Amino acid sequence: MIARRTTIKDVAEAAGVGVATVSRVLSGGSASAETRERVLDAATRLDYRPSALGRNLRQQRAGGIALLVPDITDTFYARLADGVLSCARSYREPVTIGVTGDDPEQEADLVGALLEQGIDRVIAVPSGDVETWSPALKAGLSVVFADRRIWDAGRLIDEIPAVIADDRAGVRTAVEYLLGLGHRRIAFLARHGQSQRVASFREAMGEHLDEELVAHARASRDSAYATAAGLLQRRTDLTAVLAGGNVLGEATVSAARELDLRIPRDLSLIMFDDVPWAELCSPPLTVIAQPAQDLGYRAAELTLRQGRRPRTIQLPTELIIRGSCGPRRPGSSGH
Amino acid sequence: MIARRTTIKDVAEAAGVGVATVSRVLSGGSASAETRERVLDAATRLDYRPSALGRNLRQQRAGGIALLVPDITDTFYARLADGVLSCARSYREPVTIGVTGDDPEQEADLVGALLEQGIDRVIAVPSGDVETWSPALKAGLSVVFADRRIWDAGRLIDEIPAVIADDRAGVRTAVEYLLGLGHRRIAFLARHGQSQRVASFREAMGEHLDEELVAHARASRDSAYATAAGLLQRRTDLTAVLAGGNVLGEATVSAARELDLRIPRDLSLIMFDDVPWAELCSPPLTVIAQPAQDLGYRAAELTLRQGRRPRTIQLPTELIIRGSCGPRRPGSSGH
DNA sequence: GTGAAAGCGCTAACAG
DNA sequence: CTGTTAGCGCTTTCAC
């Protein structure tokens, strides 16, 4: 026979008080020292664990927060998730994770599911745009974005709190580094939706910008590879690539190998996001490190901490120079 | 003003029926065709979403499942999680993720938190042993293990359903491959708790086993590196390493580089678990691939599907030969 | 086939 | 400071 869970009523009885008193004591309300002691003692003796079920229904909201990421197998998002988890842990809040596959429709679906669950706080790396997120906001969801923000017809939505990396500085530093090495035909390999980074790239490249060297891939590994390979084959004159994320970087390395391009001799490469294998790659990859874990941690703080929340938090990036960039070889106009 | 959520009562009124009928219709119970139609129509018109909160309290259990992994930033567990998420998705069940850090105490904590939340189904990559998990079972938790099983004083607990990779075959294949290449001094770099793999290694090595070549690391990257470096320095006579996981493999590559050991010339390496960077590494790493995603998917199926559940599901591993193993160089007794 | 009503465990409003 | 009570939204007897 399975013992029925101990409820607040049992504790009240055991302590010889009313249920309200137990509730108050346990949630830090006021009570006389003696009553408090009796209640606490009874609770301990009976090994009482308040049921979140009852509380949730009463409060009309489930505890905990949700995290929506495009892909949990991408190290970057995994580290971001780790940050969220680690912060949520200290608040003792459970975290429900959903994977959107970078698809606005799935994202909207998941938001719907959250609402149904009564979860009303969500941290998201958004894939959709205003159309996806306005309804969520209207439904009373408290949203914090991480890593990305959303746009409405070209206008940045900055009313929703967000924690993002300083893309602009990251891109600028990387581009300046490459320009300093003599590169001019520099490509940017972006994921669809990285409009911020693309814009920063255009800005940083200035007069050297060649619009044809800005390539867009979908979020999948396959699309990343196809796009990288296509770019490298189509434009044999390019001498450097800036990859907008670790999957794109990986794809570039693979494609370069396949085409027998040597890094950094034939091609310089800078990748967004520092991942463990960047050091193991040969040559070790020069990267723009992003504070992935911190992005998540801070977003969770914003979500969980009461009171005033700043609009947008921007965290610094850092160019880590390893071995994947070399000077443009004089006399060579490409690979 | 925020509109109150539509409840089952609203639907009942709109359809001119009782709440019980609405509940029945919506959960597929019996009702006359006409009533059903009226209810469904009203529900659609009012955009009714049943509240999980109410249902949960009534049923005395939260929907959804929990997933406990040692470390979500480890690609292997991330892929396993992805499998769980993907299966749970098709059942429309939310997934709460917890990170144990490979620490039985944290694990027990998390289990306690789950119980409090009313979540009674959990998939775990367990870190603890019977002491951690018996109480959970007693508390009515339905547990499925993934990737690992637990031991009680040396005895394997096989009463709890589990989905695991066929370690034994994996280790055997790898060891035979190395022996075939002429290696004799083969080390196994294990994480604490990988008793199954270690046992298989001992068995496969047979007479060639050198107990001092079995090294144990804790779960962290740092510990992995320290252990790998220590092993490589202490035993300059070893010619091959089998790493029990991708973090350990990474550590071995780093340590070998640091010590100026060339792979595969001075040292052959096989790593458990195929990860994207294994191919990018130079040389590309020979690995024992494990069906990480499938491990998670099947575990979720076991958890979510009603009825009979088999005890243990074992999934095959595969030796993927790339470039990190070479013949033992004749005349050399080590590096 | 259908409706009325009880009650899951908790918190908050209110009365004492 | 403390106890009584209502009620959150739902499912499930039970009676009709």
Side-chain angles (χ1 to χ4, degrees), chain B:
Chain B
M1 164 221 156
I2 292 180
R4 197 179 50 77
R5 272 187 66 143
T6 321
T7 76
I8 200 173
K9 219 174 142 195
D10 301 322
V11 178
E13 251 167 53
V17 299
V19 289
T21 305
V22 177
S23 176
R24 269 193 297 262
V25 168
L26 261 30
S27 49
S30 65
S32 76
E34 202 230 319
T35 311
R36 154 156 299 139
E37 169 125 5
R38 282 227 309 283
V39 170
L40 257 22
D41 180 59
T44 314
R45 228 172 40 237
L46 299 180
D47 188 33
Y48 170 63
R49 313 294 185 100
S51 153
L53 265 30
R55 182 177 340 129
N56 289 349
L57 176 56
R58 176 63 225 232
Q59 328 238 62
Q60 288 291 70
R61 58 195 294 273
I65 60 181
L67 170 65
L68 264 32
V69 292
D71 174 9
I72 195 69
T73 68
D74 181 326
T75 316
F76 177 74
Y77 302 120
R79 279 192 296 148
L80 192 152
D82 193 51
V84 171
L85 257 7
S86 138
C87 177
R89 185 104 212 256
S90 58
Y91 286 80
R92 301 194 57 88
E93 296 275 11
V95 178
T96 298
I97 296 194
V99 170
T100 64
D102 238 320
D103 172 8
E105 205 168 317
Q106 284 188 57
E107 190 171 67
D109 260 21
L110 284 167
V111 168
L114 296 184
L115 258 14
E116 215 156 292
Q117 296 299 319
I119 297 179
D120 64 352
R121 292 173 297 183
V122 58
I123 296 168
V125 176
S127 305
D129 55 9
V130 188
E131 288 205 24
T132 317
W133 288 101
S134 298
L137 258 29
K138 285 213 187 81
L141 216 55
S142 148
V143 180
V144 171
F145 287 146
D147 178 54
R148 307 180 190 168
R149 285 179 294 181
I150 60 170
W151 303 76
D152 181 16
R155 195 183 72 81
L156 179 67
I157 302 294
D158 59 359
E159 291 86 29
I160 299 173
V163 183
I164 55 171
D166 189 349
D167 282 348
R168 190 147 165 275
V171 170
R172 170 164 295 278
T173 310
V175 168
E176 278 169 4
Y177 174 63
L178 289 172
L179 288 172
L181 287 170
H183 296 279
R184 290 300 174 267
R185 303 247 178 274
I186 306 174
F188 187 54
L189 186 52
R191 186 182 35 69
H192 274 123
Q194 292 185 318
S195 26
Q196 177 68 72
R197 287 184 192 170
V198 170
S200 306
F201 178 73
R202 293 207 174 98
E203 181 188 312
M205 285 293 285
E207 52 169 334
H208 304 300
L209 177 67
D210 176 346
E211 201 54 56
E212 281 190 358
L213 291 181
V214 178
H216 286 268
R218 266 168 289 110
S220 72
R221 281 205 148 70
D222 287 349
S223 170
Y225 181 82
T227 309
L231 181 70
L232 259 28
Q233 278 176 307
R234 196 173 71 241
R235 291 294 298 257
T236 53
D237 60 327
L238 65 80
T239 65
V241 171
L242 180 54
N246 74 77
V247 174
L248 294 161
E250 187 191 311
T252 308
V253 173
S254 298
R257 292 227 179 126
E258 194 61 38
L259 296 169
D260 248 330
L261 297 173
R262 309 290 280 268
I263 297 176
R265 210 196 50 179
D266 306 323
L267 187 71
S268 287
L269 173 62
I270 298 183
M271 171 171 92
F272 247 91
D273 197 29
D274 193 20
V275 291
W277 63 262
E279 258 187 298
L280 262 41
C281 196
S282 109
L285 261 38
T286 293
V287 299
I288 301 166
Q290 301 188 87
Q293 143 113 20
D294 232 36
L295 248 24
Y297 194 96
R298 304 288 295 268
E301 264 185 347
L302 238 47
T303 308
L304 292 169
R305 196 152 55 194
Q306 340 266 41
R308 293 278 332 99
R309 22 204 272 178
R311 279 288 158 68
T312 298
I313 296 181
Q314 204 167 41
L315 267 27
T317 58
E318 185 192 358
L319 181 68
I320 298 181
I321 297 177
R322 299 206 178 95
S324 62
C325 295
R328 187 184 62 154
R329 284 183 302 150
S332 146
S333 72
H335 56 258

Side-chain angles (χ1 to χ4, degrees), chain A residues 18 20-21 24 30-32 35 58 60:
Chain A
T21 305
R24 270 192 297 261
S30 62
S32 77
T35 310
R58 176 64 227 228
Q60 289 289 70

Side-chain angles (χ1 to χ4, degrees), chain A residues 221-235:
Chain A
R221 280 203 150 70
D222 287 350
S223 171
Y225 181 82
T227 310
L231 181 70
L232 258 29
Q233 277 175 308
R234 195 172 71 240
R235 291 295 297 258

Side-chain angles (χ1 to χ4, degrees), chain A residues 71 73-77 189 191 217-225 228 243-254 271-273 275 277, chain B residues 276 280:
Chain A
D71 175 10
T73 67
D74 181 326
T75 316
F76 176 73
Y77 302 119
L189 187 51
R191 185 183 36 68
R218 265 167 291 110
S220 73
R221 280 203 150 70
D222 287 350
S223 171
Y225 181 82
N246 73 77
V247 174
L248 294 161
E250 188 191 310
T252 307
V253 173
S254 299
M271 172 171 90
F272 247 91
D273 197 27
V275 291
W277 63 262
Chain B
L280 262 41

